Structures are given as structure tokens and as C-alpha cells.
Amino acid sequence: MMHRRRFLATTVAAGTALAAPAVLGQTRQTIKIGLAPQQATQAETRKVWEPLYRLVADRMGVGLDLTVANDWAGISVALASEQIDATQMGPWGYVLARAKGEAKIACTMLVNGEPTYRAVIVARPGLKIESWPEGARGLSMQMLDVGSTTGWMVPTHWFRQRGIEPKTFFGRYAEGASAAAAQVAAANGQVDLATGWDIHRNTMIRNGTIREDSNTVVWQSDPLPNEVVAVRRGFPEEMRVKLRDALTGLNEDERKLLPWPYTGFVPAEHAPYEVLEKMGRDLGVLKAS
């Protein structure tokens, strides 16, 4: 649920230019949180997440400055370049921010009580694929942004590990769609196949955007480590701990502020995300350390 690109340009265009990170020693410190639009719009994302982060900031004893970008990719750049203090970000975005800017993990997000999720590939209604992946040769494929963990990196790595180059294996191949647009494109029969992730697809089904039979899951990955809350390199360690403790210490009533299917946060270390680092190195999009 990742990332580099036009964060500054898009946020300035939206009238939400990034300010400098928090400065210790001010009368009331401010924590600058940057979010990608996990909901359908920037405004909806703010509406969903701001109450939680206002509670967290109050518990930390700081003010809140919440910025919502219009894509996932720029969040990684913003964190790596210390334009924001902390963010929720997809696991690949975190890996990139750690590699490029020494970002630090604070905690992992739980979905239905689990710290993992899966990449999926869905097919349009009525499409029968007798053998995978050979039966998909020549079909049209819509992948997500190249900054996406499950929408690009994980499926691309899976194919290439089997000697398949997606750009030539599929009859019509495209990248760059949003997760929602890709699911709908498959549901409407505009494409044969589309990438995504199970949590997002299930959320769209629950929200009535698509039906459970609107498209069919034809492939899923092994479990992957969930989204993270990460902080910039120079964020004081005591503040990172305060942020982690505020999130992982939410009580049952406070966790109700989380949108479905998120159910909480757990302390985390980097180790589970090393599998994604390896994928990135294998694909040549992350330099070997």
C-alpha cells in the first residue's frame, strides 16, 4: 500500500504547501503528518484520519499539521527529504524512504487484527484461465503505479522470477492506474486483468463500489508486511517513541476512530520488510547495500 514523485507540486496546487518540519524548543511543538489519499479523495482522507491523529498529537503534547497528497509516490520522497515528520505509507514506500533518507519505522498497522496482507490479480467477469500464468498470455493487463507495492512491484517480481516479462507477455500492458480505477476497469471488462491488493478490493466490496462477483481473484501473493507509520531521519527518538506508544496504546473506543478494516497498530522492526528490499534489488529499482 509506495513511492516517490510530484508531492510538492500536487500539494502546492491543492493549496497545501508543505511547511518546515517541527522544531524542538517552540512553545508548542507541532508534528507534521503527511498522508496519501487512501480514500477516494483528499478531502475524504482528511475527514477519515484527522480525528485519530488529532487525538494522537494531543496525547503526545504537540500540535497537529496534517497534509494530504494526491498520490502515494510522493509521500516517500517527502519523508526521505524531511518535508514531513511522519506518515502512514505502504511497505515499499517505507523501504524506499529508508534506503534514500534513512526513515525509521514506528509501528505496523493491523488489518482485521493481522499485520499482513496480499497482492492480488483480478480478472474481468466471465474470463476463464485454465492454467496460471500461461493461460493469461496475450490478455490485457492493467498494473498500478510503479511506486505501488502490490500493484506493481510484487506481481512484477513474481512474473520475472519465472522468466516472464509482463510488458511482452501480455497483449496490452499498461501501468499507472489508481487501485480503484484498476478494480473497476476489470469489473467493467475494460481490461482482462488488473493488479491490486486484498484489503483494498474487500473495502470496495464492502462500500458497494464493486460486488464480490464483479471480478475474480486469479492470483494472490504470499503474505506481505502491512503498511507502516514511519518517521523522518531527524525526528527525535523520544518523539518517535511517543508516536509509537500513542498509536499502539489506543483503547477499544479510540480504535473505533480507525476506518474499516484497520483495527490498530503494533510496535515494529525492520526485519519483516527485508523481503521487499530483496524484491527491489532483484528488479533493479533498489541499489544493493
Side-chain angles (χ1 to χ4, degrees), residues 270-281:
H270 177 69
Y273 298 86
E274 290 175 354
V275 62
L276 300 176
E277 287 183 322
K278 183 180 184 306
M279 288 185 190
R281 289 193 294 270

Side-chain angles (χ1 to χ4, degrees), residues 76 79-80 93-105 270 277:
S76 180
L79 191 69
Y94 156 66
V95 167
L96 288 174
R98 183 177 186 270
K100 295 181 177 182
E102 300 177 12
K104 299 177 183 179
I105 193 168
H270 177 69
E277 287 183 322

Side-chain angles (χ1 to χ4, degrees), residues 31 44 75 82 109 112 185 211 228 246 254 285:
I31 184 170
E44 184 64 19
I75 287 293
E82 300 196 84
M109 302 177 71
N112 294 324
R211 301 187 312 275
V228 308
E254 292 165 346
V285 293

Side-chain angles (χ1 to χ4, degrees), residues 11 15 17 33 63 107 138 157 179 233 248 257 270 282-283:
T11 49
I33 303 288
C107 50
H157 185 266
R233 172 181 57 232
T248 60
L257 291 172
H270 177 69
D282 289 347
L283 292 174

Side-chain angles (χ1 to χ4, degrees), residues 112-126:
N112 294 324
E114 297 295 329
T116 59
Y117 73 125
R118 294 175 186 265
V120 299
I121 295 176
V122 299
R124 61 174 170 78

Side-chain angles (χ1 to χ4, degrees), residues 222-266:
D222 292 333
L224 301 164
N226 260 351
E227 296 170 57
V228 308
V229 174
V231 302
R232 61 181 174 86
R233 172 181 57 232
F235 198 55
E237 176 62 13
E238 66 178 270
M239 295 298 290
R240 185 191 72 86
V241 171
K242 283 185 177 182
L243 176 62
R244 179 199 67 194
D245 291 349
L247 289 168
T248 60
L250 296 173
N251 62 38
E252 184 176 353
D253 285 339
E254 292 165 346
R255 288 196 296 272
K256 292 177 182 177
L257 291 172
L258 291 163
W260 188 92
Y262 296 102
T263 54
F265 302 82
V266 290

Side-chain angles (χ1 to χ4, degrees), residues 167-262:
K167 291 183 179 180
T168 56
F169 180 79
F170 295 105
R172 179 164 56 89
Y173 174 89
E175 298 170 347
S178 70
Q183 290 290 319
V184 171
N188 291 342
Q190 296 170 294
V191 296
D192 295 319
L193 301 166
T195 58
W197 67 98
D198 57 353
I199 296 168
H200 180 262
R201 179 174 181 269
N202 292 339
T203 300
M204 291 185 71
I205 292 170
R206 185 176 187 270
N207 292 344
T209 307
I210 60 174
R211 301 187 312 275
E212 191 165 3
D213 62 354
S214 291
N215 55 43
T216 304
V217 176
V218 295
W219 173 84
Q220 66 177 11
S221 70
D222 292 333
L224 301 164
N226 260 351
E227 296 170 57
V228 308
V229 174
V231 302
R232 61 181 174 86
R233 172 181 57 232
F235 198 55
E237 176 62 13
E238 66 178 270
M239 295 298 290
R240 185 191 72 86
V241 171
K242 283 185 177 182
L243 176 62
R244 179 199 67 194
D245 291 349
L247 289 168
T248 60
L250 296 173
N251 62 38
E252 184 176 353
D253 285 339
E254 292 165 346
R255 288 196 296 272
K256 292 177 182 177
L257 291 172
L258 291 163
W260 188 92
Y262 296 102

